[in-house]
Amino acid sequence: MSSVRVRFEPSPTGSVHIGTARAALFNWLYARKTGGSFILRIADTDKERNTQDALDELLRVLRWLGLDWDEGPDTGGDFGPYFQSQRGDIYNEYLKKLEDAGRVYEKDGAVFFKLEGERYTEYDSYHKAEIEKVRTEPVTIDDLIRGKVTRREERDFVLVRSNGDPGFHFVNVVDDISMGITHVLRGEDHLSNTSKHLELYKAFKATPPNFAHMPMILKDPKVGKGKMSKRDKGALIEEYQQRHFLPEAVVNFIALLGWSPKDGKEVLSIKEILERFEIKDIQKAGARFDEKKMSHLNFVYMKILPINEYENSAKKALAASELIDENVDSEYLRAVLELCRDKIDSFENLPGFSAYFFSDEFPVNEKALKKVWNRKGASDRLVEIAPRLQALEDWSESAIENAFLQLSNETGDKPFAWYPVVRFAVSGTNSGPDFLPMLELLGKELVVRRINDRLASVN
RNA sequence: GUCCCGUUCGUCUAGUCAGGCCUAGGACACAGGGUUUUCAUCCCUGCAACAGGGGUUCGAAUCCCCUACGGGACGCCA
């Protein structure tokens, strides 16, 4: 028995859709699972829309997700070329076979595939016209996910466009035959196209590959109806990169879109996914995109991220938001990151969470303003604590705590009475890292100054 | 409109193929409580689903049929 060969056939026209990424992942998983080959084939027959940049971007995204390929545009292989734009000779050769078999004809400058069967014309309500149809024999695929699916193709279709470029269905089938593809895992949107493909396999007297049609990824119902489009939030992998999501989390999330492991474990590394992946466990029904789940997974991975990787990603996120540059004190930065480590839920939120460590221009949280500051006696709390902090000679966590404790003893109020107000004064919000270490790190001069600034704002 | 595919908590899903172990399990989200003298984490509890109707059967989420609803295809896009 020959070994498994699967392919991923993206068209490099811009950004990578989440469904495209999932197709890549599932094909990759199946290849690695079976010890087969994962082939990358570039669908660049539409010349105007393809650029080198888009291709580079595509390869970058695949690598970011942790996917590698055995044959492809940059790695080569025995079945090349791996750009469809360079496979013209092969397409011509296969077109000749169809010509010789009398299965093609020309119309309006394009080459059509001729179906076999009785011809008749009929009014078609979709095309709103009288069109020619063919009474063909139904064709059946045994889909690895859906079982037997039978359908009849009833209209001739274009093989080569009038501008000379070969069309999708034709190149798709020719490439799968000539590259020895054994399994085709693709989106359900191709299920209806499969009858066209099967007709071509028949005409070429070739054995069709095994098909598996994955469910569509649908919009969050709160957002709208239908399949997720590239305009929807969360639809593009680039968006996750820009938002500093972890690739492990993204991979985990897209794997769970339409697939789930038998043992019910949800947080899975790509290796663990690989151990559990089975085509038959892929869901039939469309999967709805849930941004909250994506965020949660990202959060889980952040918690277990090794410290050096955490620091790298954190620095990137801070640099991207221009809170820090290369002049930043690396020891101070390290301490800040250490302090925020267990508090933040995403790198995306880190800049907002920690801005006040790096700049006096930090935003004031409206809710905190209402809840903490616009409250009777709030400014009195600052008036009480400010001189005591000012007077401290030893600016250590315990010394700071003592200052609060003393005040607490004298007034009978808990230290809790001052904490939120001071936190608000120095950070503009009511949540954040551990309070006392935060003050210590910020430094006496800055803490006292911000308290006074806050007080000055009322007068 | 025609054809194809689908339908379990708000969402992702387990269970369906081999009907009884399902008073339907987990996760996210949401609500309430607890731990934490801050903040977050964390822990506990709760909410919440077999689309509807007919069969078959001692017994159906599970098998069959119909209806409804959702999705996809119907391009000289891929």
Side-chain angles (χ1 to χ4, degrees), chain A residues 5 39-41 71-73 76-83 86-87 90 175 178-179:
Chain A
R5 290 175 60 80
I39 293 136
L40 182 57
R41 181 168 82 209
E71 297 170 31
D78 296 338
F79 296 82
Y82 293 91
F83 290 98
Q86 295 170 14
R87 296 174 66 81
I90 298 168
D175 285 344
S178 57
M179 289 184 168

Side-chain angles (χ1 to χ4, degrees), chain A residues 18 33 52 74 78 86 105 132 145 177 181 200 261 273 291 311 322 338 360 394 419 430 433 452 455:
Chain A
I18 189 168
K33 181 87 186 176
Q52 183 64 39
D74 53 347
D78 296 338
Q86 295 170 14
Y105 63 89
E132 187 185 58
I145 295 169
I177 293 172
I181 300 303
L200 286 172
I273 293 169
E291 200 202 343
E311 285 184 1
E322 297 182 340
E338 183 69 21
D360 286 328
D394 167 28
Y419 279 22
N430 60 340
N452 288 332
L455 282 169

Side-chain angles (χ1 to χ4, degrees), chain A residues 52 61 147 158 179 200 207 275 309 321 401 407 414 442:
Chain A
Q52 183 64 39
V61 166
V158 170
M179 289 184 168
L200 286 172
T207 310
E275 284 161 8
E309 288 178 36
S321 64
E401 184 174 27
L407 199 47
K414 291 193 167 162
L442 249 12

Side-chain angles (χ1 to χ4, degrees), chain A residues 410-428:
Chain A
E410 289 166 27
T411 59
D413 291 332
K414 291 193 167 162
F416 172 64
W418 289 272
Y419 279 22
V421 194
V422 174
R423 182 192 284 280
F424 176 74
V426 301
S427 74

Side-chain angles (χ1 to χ4, degrees), chain A residues 29-166:
Chain A
L29 284 168
Y30 190 62
R32 294 292 170 264
K33 181 87 186 176
T34 56
S37 301
F38 179 54
I39 293 136
L40 182 57
R41 181 168 82 209
I42 306 302
D44 59 347
T45 50
D46 192 349
K47 291 175 189 105
E48 280 120 61
R49 295 199 301 169
N50 298 295
T51 64
Q52 183 64 39
D53 283 354
L55 176 64
D56 292 343
E57 172 66 11
L58 174 76
L59 301 187
R60 229 196 73 231
V61 166
L62 291 177
R63 293 196 179 101
W64 184 75
L65 291 170
L67 308 182
D68 57 352
W69 45 96
D70 306 297
E71 297 170 31
D74 53 347
T75 44
D78 296 338
F79 296 82
Y82 293 91
F83 290 98
Q84 290 180 331
S85 60
Q86 295 170 14
R87 296 174 66 81
D89 292 348
I90 298 168
Y91 302 137
N92 285 336
E93 183 192 317
Y94 275 80
L95 188 62
K96 180 84 171 23
K97 293 185 190 184
L98 294 180
E99 276 167 7
D100 291 348
R103 298 297 302 276
V104 303
Y105 63 89
E106 231 178 285
K107 196 175 97 184
D108 304 329
V111 179
F112 281 74
F113 179 70
K114 193 196 288 173
L115 292 170
E116 286 179 324
E118 183 200 337
R119 286 178 185 253
Y120 61 100
T121 52
E122 182 180 74
Y123 179 78
D124 186 279
S125 57
Y126 180 74
H127 294 94
K128 297 192 173 62
E130 196 81 16
I131 58 174
E132 187 185 58
K133 292 187 179 174
V134 186
R135 257 182 260 285
T136 50
E137 286 297 310
V139 287
T140 300
I141 59 165
D142 195 1
D143 193 279
L144 264 22
I145 295 169
R146 285 152 213 283
K148 289 200 192 326
V149 178
T150 301
R151 192 171 179 276
R152 231 161 44 78
E153 194 60 37
E154 53 182 16
R155 293 186 68 207
D156 293 342
F157 54 91
V158 170
L159 297 173
V160 183
R161 297 184 245 163
S162 54
N163 69 1
D165 289 342

